[in-house]
Amino acid sequence: MEDVKKNKPKQASFLDCHNGSLVEIVGDKDNPGSTLFVIYKVLFDDIEISDKVTVDGIDYCPPSDDLIKTGTILLPTYPEPYNTLKELVDVIDKFVYRYLDITDSYRKLATYYILLSWIYDCFETIPYLRAIGDYGTGKSRFQKVIGHLCYKPMFAGGATTPSPIFRIINLYRGTLIIDEADFRLSDAQSEIVKIFNCGYTTGVPVLRTEGDKERMPVAYNVFCPKIIATRERFTDKALESRCLTEVMQGNPRVGIPIHLPKSFYNEALKIRNMLLLFRLKHYGQVEIKPELAIEGVEARVNQILLPLLSIIEDQKV
């Protein structure tokens, strides 16, 4: 039994092999609900598909569970080409405009946040996107439209308990999409706030004690982009300061579909596939541009905004 366990591959959703190769989980387009690895050889600009990979003598396989099969976590299927970064940004912007009614300035912000989500792990800190509004103002549509384009979106409702959220972020390290995040119970709110407050920066895991017989401390990495919907502002001022917020008004403009058509999901997958290629080609190639810090703004705000500002090539934006 020990030999079988010893030879069992470890699960991983992304690997930087530090040998010129990047490994990323994708959905198997020929077998929905199953997963594969895309292996990108940076120096050769070459792509391979495999169901496992060996790195430093350790075998890895992509996770494949009910979260993938039920669409709770969405994946790209294969890197698709795009012409220029400007055109990719334009495709994202038009998609968001077609299905979601938000202010023009926030739509531009959201467009680049989507881009940032695909290379967020190249930075030390990231902001969160947050929609605030009462019932029926479009918060769920906000999350669905923007979330479907983000890096490995992980959808969770407000009724979700904190325990699986720690584990899902730690394993998949995608973008957490959490609806109705007002959490009424103080103990649950405390746990979720820990995830939010620790998860905006690297190197600050959430520690939990686990085990039936022998209780041991376990560190969970909760650093990832997050798209949050709430009815009220957070009472925690530190958390509130990490959110880039759009106040939803309801009454969407004429032309916004009440129900999302099937074409929405096909379009979203195609864009995710292009964004996968963006990630593979830009991972490790982007850096913070401190000269873009905004004068007169407190350090905390500049801290979360600089990663976003550093990937924007359009001076007007």
Side-chain angles (χ1 to χ4, degrees):
M1 283 292 292
E2 285 187 11
D3 289 339
V4 173
K5 191 173 181 180
K6 192 174 182 180
N7 294 326
K8 186 177 180 180
K10 291 186 175 182
Q11 289 189 332
S13 58
F14 172 72
L15 293 165
D16 181 356
C17 301
H18 300 291
N19 62 357
S21 294
L22 300 172
V23 179
E24 183 68 69
I25 185 176
V26 294
D28 185 348
K29 60 184 178 182
D30 297 321
N31 190 11
S34 297
T35 55
L36 295 166
F37 277 140
V38 159
I39 305 166
Y40 178 60
K41 298 181 179 179
V42 179
L43 295 177
F44 302 99
D45 194 24
D46 185 48
I47 293 171
E48 294 180 4
I49 298 288
S50 178
D51 59 356
K52 65 179 180 179
V53 66
T54 302
V55 180
D56 296 330
I58 301 173
D59 293 331
Y60 294 91
C61 68
S64 182
D65 50 34
D66 285 343
L67 298 173
I68 302 293
K69 294 172 183 175
T70 59
T72 303
I73 296 175
L74 300 178
L75 300 172
T77 53
Y78 191 82
E80 288 195 28
Y82 55 89
N83 292 324
T84 65
L85 182 56
K86 185 177 183 301
E87 288 185 23
L88 177 58
V89 168
D90 191 50
V91 167
I92 297 169
D93 182 71
K94 287 179 178 177
F95 178 89
V96 175
Y97 179 81
R98 187 154 53 249
Y99 296 111
L100 178 65
D101 189 13
I102 50 179
T103 58
D104 289 344
S105 58
Y106 198 88
R107 192 182 72 252
K108 295 293 184 184
L109 185 79
T111 295
Y112 279 99
Y113 190 87
I114 290 167
L115 205 64
L116 174 65
S117 76
W118 285 82
I119 50 171
Y120 81 92
D121 41 354
C122 295
F123 299 98
E124 290 189 356
T125 60
I126 49 169
Y128 303 148
L129 285 195
R130 194 264 299 275
I132 189 170
D134 209 344
Y135 170 80
T137 55
K139 300 189 305 297
S140 295
R141 175 63 65 92
F142 174 97
Q143 291 191 303
K144 195 161 193 175
V145 172
I146 297 173
H148 265 69
L149 300 189
C150 285
Y151 178 57
K152 290 186 291 196
M154 308 173 293
F155 290 89
T160 305
T161 59
S163 181
I165 294 178
F166 289 104
R167 293 164 176 79
I168 292 169
I169 296 175
N170 191 67
L171 177 59
Y172 286 97
R173 304 192 181 187
T175 303
L176 180 65
I177 320 289
I178 188 158
D179 196 11
E180 296 297 343
D182 294 284
F183 298 97
R184 301 302 174 198
L185 299 177
S186 59
D187 57 342
Q189 184 181 27
S190 174
E191 292 294 313
I192 293 296
V193 169
K194 285 179 187 176
I195 295 175
F196 290 163
N197 273 335
C198 294
Y200 86 103
T201 187
T202 57
V204 187
V206 172
L207 300 178
R208 306 196 70 180
T209 303
E210 297 186 349
D212 295 327
K213 295 181 179 179
E214 197 172 342
R215 304 289 284 173
M216 298 293 291
V218 179
Y220 286 97
N221 177 9
V222 291
F223 175 57
C224 73
K226 297 172 182 68
I227 300 179
I228 306 165
T230 64
R231 297 189 186 189
E232 301 172 0
R233 295 189 180 275
F234 292 111
T235 55
D236 186 290
K237 292 182 180 179
L239 175 54
E240 186 68 26
S241 71
R242 291 172 184 134
C243 297
L244 305 176
T245 300
E246 173 82 335
V247 178
M248 304 300 291
Q249 301 297 328
N251 299 316
R253 70 175 187 275
V254 175
I256 297 284
I258 297 175
H259 299 287
L260 293 172
K262 289 183 178 179
S263 58
F264 167 87
Y265 302 96
N266 295 329
E267 289 176 61
L269 175 58
K270 184 176 178 64
I271 296 172
R272 286 200 304 274
N273 284 346
M274 290 190 285
L275 283 162
L276 173 59
L277 185 62
F278 166 79
R279 172 172 172 80
L280 295 175
K281 287 185 175 292
H282 288 81
Y283 184 84
Q285 307 299 314
V286 292
E287 294 182 349
I288 283 285
K289 299 176 182 176
E291 67 273 13
L292 296 178
I294 303 169
E295 290 186 16
V297 172
E298 62 181 273
R300 182 190 295 274
V301 176
N302 268 318
Q303 183 187 37
I304 64 167
L305 281 180
L306 274 175
L308 197 56
L309 294 172
S310 296
I311 66 168
I312 298 175
E313 294 184 351
D314 187 325
Q315 188 62 37
K316 182 179 178 182
V317 175

